[in-house]
Amino acid sequence: VARPQRINREAILAASLDLADDVGIEQLTMQAVADRLDVTPMALYRYVSDKADLLDGVVERLLGEIELPDPKTPPLEQLAAVGQAIRAVARRHPTVFPLLLQRPATTPAAVQARDRVIALLTEIGVPPREVARCERLISTIILGFAASEAAGRFGRHSRKVIDTDYQLVQSVISRLISDLTT
Amino acid sequence: VARPQRINREAILAASLDLADDVGIEQLTMQAVADRLDVTPMALYRYVSDKADLLDGVVERLLGEIELPDPKTPPLEQLAAVGQAIRAVARRHPTVFPLLLQRPATTPAAVQARDRVIALLTEIGVPPREVARCERLISTIILGFAASEAAGRFGRHSRKVIDTDYQLVQSVISRLISDLTT
DNA sequence: ACCTGAACACCGTTCAAGT
DNA sequence: ACCTGAACACCGTTCAAGT
């Protein structure tokens, strides 16, 4: 009476993310995900409680894809690297990425990334009372920029122009940090 | 053979925005909009080409709601007022607002707001070559912040904490501008 | 000219049934 | 234990038909 397990939660989330990247998040449906896994839609409900849960899982996977930098490099460099890593995720998953701006950073992968940034800011010398606020601001600015870029809000501007925009974002953030540390 | 016209595009968009504010954008369906207008869903298709067009119309309405400040007040004050006006729109329409980050500012209401900010930056003394970039950055930061606030990404933080966060946003923007003008 | 009824393909979700 | 079939309520959209 035991059957081989054909799917699991991770396989479902991986297939969902692939599908969204291929056809856009609008077309991310339970049925299309099931098709990718050669299974009926109803089989998914053993591993995700509903579609909202599936989307949460996909978002969590996105956060997990943020490549955190080597802790041995200088903290300011690490901070810059986190920003670029987030941008890279946005470019890999342009239609899913905007969801990141819509949920609080309370899931494990979100907390991990946030805690890392908080540790870096502390190490750099931002006063403890200001660190949390500083992190909120930086993440908001970076996520907003990356989401805009991914969703094509910058319109017809070339990659070069957008990269230069991002340099300015970085300098604004550096400025913010050095203002707070002095 | 002529019939009284029961609905029109503006009525549809107004009803859609009201509905989204009441029940959330997820529940914004053609049928629910039609119900509000006492009409069948198919009647809407004479005034909107499809649901995407309806959503575009709603977004445009949101942009039109941004209250532009009195042109007689000092430019730096006007700039601050535009930011607060955008935040106010986000708070009035929390579930629809995040859509603003997803589309390029090419529609009339978007262009109007953007041109106003560009004029203000020019007046303040940002070099012409930098004005467009500066506007992109400012709008990205403000939209990202307002969308985060509206979507509840700042989690359980009190309004007071978030207002203080926003003060820091404003100071970051002021810093950016004064760096560019010197 | 403007709206409706009927119809279609699709969606998320449930529950009992199959292996 | 794991998946499927059948079913339900709902969705966006079309098109011919009604007034």
Side-chain angles (χ1 to χ4, degrees), chain A residues 63 100 103-112 114 135 139, chain B residues 152-155:
Chain A
L63 288 162
L100 287 191
R103 1 217 126 200
T106 53
T107 58
V111 168
Q112 192 190 0
R114 196 191 53 189
E135 185 281 328
S139 67
Chain B
R153 192 174 73 87
F154 295 140

Side-chain angles (χ1 to χ4, degrees), chain B residues 30-127:
Chain B
M30 301 299 273
Q31 348 243 345
V33 172
D35 274 356
R36 285 227 162 188
L37 297 166
D38 266 308
V39 126
T40 62
M42 301 77 83
L44 306 177
Y45 286 86
R46 196 155 283 275
Y47 306 96
V48 297
S49 52
D50 52 21
K51 193 178 180 186
D53 182 37
L54 182 145
L55 285 175
D56 283 347
V58 168
V59 166
E60 183 68 357
R61 221 153 205 284
L62 232 63
L63 288 163
E65 275 194 20
I66 300 172
E67 262 201 68
L68 295 182
D70 184 338
K72 286 188 295 266
T73 56
L76 276 172
E77 270 181 41
Q78 285 187 54
L79 214 50
V82 172
Q84 291 289 10
I86 290 173
R87 263 185 97 196
V89 172
R91 278 198 233 92
R92 278 202 296 276
H93 310 290
T95 72
V96 179
F97 191 86
L99 287 183
L100 287 192
L101 265 164
Q102 320 238 41
R103 2 217 125 200
T106 52
T107 58
V111 168
Q112 192 190 0
R114 197 191 51 188
D115 285 356
R116 181 68 172 275
V117 170
I118 285 179
L120 287 169
L121 292 173
T122 307
E123 192 178 347
I124 287 165
V126 175

